[in-house]
Amino acid sequence: MSAHVINGKELVGAYRAEIKQQVERLAAQGVKPGLAVVIVGDDPASHVYVRNKNKACEEAGIHSEVYKLAEETQESELLALIAKLNADEAIHGILVQSPLPGHINEERVVEAIAVEKDVDCFHPMNVGNLMIGKPGPSPCTPAGVIEILKKVGVEIAGKHAVVIGRSNIVGKPMGILLLRENATVTVCHSRTKDLAVITSQADILVAAIGKPKVIKREHVKPGAVVIDVGVNRLDTGKLSGDVDFDDVVDTAGIITPVPGVVGPMTITILLRNTLEAAERAAGVRASS
Ligand code: NAP
């Protein structure tokens, strides 16, 4: 039997409408959430991501500012802009689009962002808070995956969740969020032996590998929920996930297509984080 293929337009559209309403409620109290997005250099894919984030903000009623800096921008100039945005009361979230040019130290840039405005959840303080379960921003992609699971009614507690990938922005925080939802979590990576033996035990399988179509039918337990985080550009120019969709669709119970679900949900969590940062700044949301 063919899997239920998650409809991203419907799912994400409904969630963005909810967030828009919350933004309107906050605006009625005199607070308009604001996001500043900074991009350095000319990477075409990054410019597309920034445009999408800006458009999503506008549609949700969130004030959005985009700062486009030249490739040769010095780190000191970028840090000065971040300091200015940290002090700007109209800005509740700051996102510096990666990758940054090689002459800029990404770690120093991330740590320069005020902890309460770090809507990407990349600052070490927020990563630590996430680890110990304190309130704060959610890492956008992993939190988006949790939201997708909840919105399609997948019970997470007690399930065996297998995450493939252990990056700081997807795999590791994904494991922590699944643990927080009381899943039993296994994290696999490039040195994992017999990957298919492990992944085929998963009730929930999250692929965040960054290589096209690695996950085939033999990696998937019949009826499993398969969430594909990967975004890979094929030689044909088309996008592909880390999962071989056509091979897996008859084995999985629920599956996300690429593109269309995890990407848009990631941006939606960014909107939610910006809204929540504005609520905390206005004192209408409890902080730690
Ligand atoms: P990354 O930093 O390159 O990490 C990839 C992870 O996959 C690593 O932990 C690596 O293991 C593991 N891996 C690589 N090959 C493997 C294999 N054959 N078997 C098992 N594990 C393997 O990538 P990332 O930043 O986490 O991103 C992963 C994918 O998600 C990419 O396609 C990226 O474009 C996509 N992504 C999408 C969104 C979105 O919004 N939709 C957001 C973020 C990322 P080692 O640690 O051992 O090297």
Side-chain angles (χ1 to χ4, degrees):
M1 212 179 72
S2 197
H4 165 63
V5 180
I6 295 177
N7 180 331
K9 255 206 168 88
E10 240 172 62
L11 186 116
V12 174
Y15 195 33
R16 286 199 188 173
E18 267 178 51
I19 290 173
K20 186 176 179 174
Q21 279 184 358
Q22 290 170 27
V23 169
E24 281 164 2
R25 276 202 289 277
L26 190 63
Q29 297 176 52
V31 182
K32 185 166 173 126
L35 175 71
V37 180
V38 183
I39 180 165
V40 187
D42 306 316
D43 178 53
S46 295
H47 277 271
V48 171
Y49 292 142
V50 168
R51 258 202 308 280
N52 288 344
K53 288 168 185 171
N54 189 40
K55 185 164 169 270
C57 279
E58 281 174 4
E59 286 170 2
I62 292 176
H63 167 69
S64 152
E65 296 176 6
V66 179
Y67 294 84
K68 294 180 183 165
L69 307 185
E71 178 84 21
E72 55 277 9
T73 300
Q74 290 304 306
E75 186 179 303
S76 55
E77 292 172 65
L78 177 56
L79 292 175
L81 172 60
I82 291 172
K84 183 174 108 37
L85 295 169
N86 280 343
D88 186 341
E89 286 184 6
I91 295 298
H92 305 97
I94 303 169
L95 180 155
V96 178
Q97 184 67 43
S98 62
L100 287 171
H103 64 277
I104 296 179
N105 181 321
E106 201 146 345
E107 224 173 88
R108 263 201 296 271
V109 170
V110 166
E111 290 179 22
I113 296 172
V115 173
E116 65 279 8
K117 297 192 180 188
D118 167 41
V119 281
D120 257 339
C121 192
F122 287 173
H123 193 290
M125 184 77 87
N126 284 324
V127 175
N129 283 339
L130 175 78
M131 186 79 188
I132 59 176
K134 281 176 80 174
S138 314
C140 296
T141 301
V145 171
I146 297 289
E147 207 55 52
I148 291 164
L149 292 172
K150 289 186 174 172
K151 294 225 177 290
V152 293
V154 173
E155 173 90 37
I156 305 174
K159 295 288 169 58
H160 185 194
V162 175
V163 179
I164 319 170
R166 55 172 166 181
S167 70
N168 287 336
I169 62 164
V170 189
K172 278 187 214 157
M174 187 74 253
I176 292 171
L177 291 188
L178 285 162
L179 262 183
R180 196 188 271 185
E181 298 294 332
N182 298 312
T184 300
V185 179
T186 304
V187 179
C188 300
H189 46 78
S190 68
R191 308 282 288 273
T192 297
K193 292 200 169 72
D194 301 324
L195 185 70
V197 172
I198 298 168
T199 58
S200 60
Q201 296 172 40
D203 302 306
I204 299 168
L205 182 60
V206 182
I209 304 168
K211 291 181 182 153
K213 304 187 184 191
V214 173
I215 300 306
K216 311 275 186 197
R217 186 179 315 175
E218 66 265 25
H219 293 92
V220 177
K221 175 163 127 178
V225 180
V226 178
I227 306 286
D228 193 352
V229 176
V231 182
N232 309 286
R233 180 76 61 186
L234 301 176
D235 292 341
T236 58
K238 277 182 75 177
L239 290 181
S240 161
D242 296 341
V243 175
D244 187 337
F245 183 92
D246 293 335
D247 198 51
V248 164
V249 70
D250 290 333
T251 305
I254 298 177
I255 190 166
T256 59
V258 174
V261 185
V262 175
M265 188 53 105
T266 294
I267 294 181
T268 310
I269 302 298
L270 175 69
L271 303 177
R272 186 177 85 184
N273 282 347
T274 304
L275 166 68
E276 291 181 358
E279 288 173 343
R280 282 195 193 94
V284 296
R285 170 173 285 270
S287 56
S288 51

